[in-house]
Amino acid sequence: MGGARGSSADAPDSLTEGRSRLQQAQEDVEEVTVIMLDNLNKANERGVKLEDLEDRADELLEKGKAFEKTTNKLKQKKRCENSRMKVISVAVGVVVVAIVIGLIVFGIISSTGGEQ
């Protein structure tokens, strides 16, 4: 019977120890829950930031395409202007050469006509 008494005396201690363990486990669970909620909030914030970055990237892509169209139009316009300037330069050159040849011919005709 002495063993029974010892075991009943141990019962409140083991009950207290069990409650203490249970309380510690609940505190651990509570701590893990707080950490998990914090991680979920951070993941959600990252998701929002990623969506924002994706929207900005799409916007930059659209602006880049518009810029490319504008530069291609400008490039074509400048090519046309350069072609016109080349044609005008050649035409002016031909006119100058024709005038010079005309003056030479007129000078030769005048000098030969004056000798007769």
Side-chain angles (χ1 to χ4, degrees), residues 29-78:
V29 167
E30 190 68 32
E31 183 180 341
V32 169
T33 303
V34 169
I35 291 171
M36 287 178 58
L37 288 174
D38 186 45
N39 287 342
L40 285 173
N41 287 336
K42 287 179 182 177
N44 189 28
E45 288 174 10
R46 272 189 233 115
V48 170
K49 288 179 182 178
L50 286 174
E51 288 174 5
D52 184 44
L53 282 175
E54 189 175 318
D55 291 344
R56 288 170 52 193
D58 289 342
E59 185 179 330
L60 283 174
L61 182 62
E62 288 176 24
K63 286 181 180 181
K65 287 179 181 178
F67 179 76
E68 184 178 10
K69 283 183 181 180
T70 303
T71 56
N72 286 337
K73 286 180 184 178
L74 183 62
K75 186 191 284 184
Q76 185 64 31
K77 181 180 176 183
K78 290 298 179 183

Side-chain angles (χ1 to χ4, degrees), residues 72-108:
N72 286 337
K73 286 180 184 178
L74 183 62
K75 186 191 284 184
Q76 185 64 31
K77 181 180 176 183
K78 290 298 179 183
R79 281 183 185 159
C80 289
E81 287 178 8
N82 286 341
S83 296
R84 278 189 229 134
M85 289 305 291
K86 286 178 184 178
V87 168
I88 290 170
S89 297
V90 168
V92 168
V94 168
V95 169
V96 168
V97 169
I99 290 172
V100 169
I101 291 174
L103 289 174
I104 292 172
V105 169
F106 181 72
I108 292 174

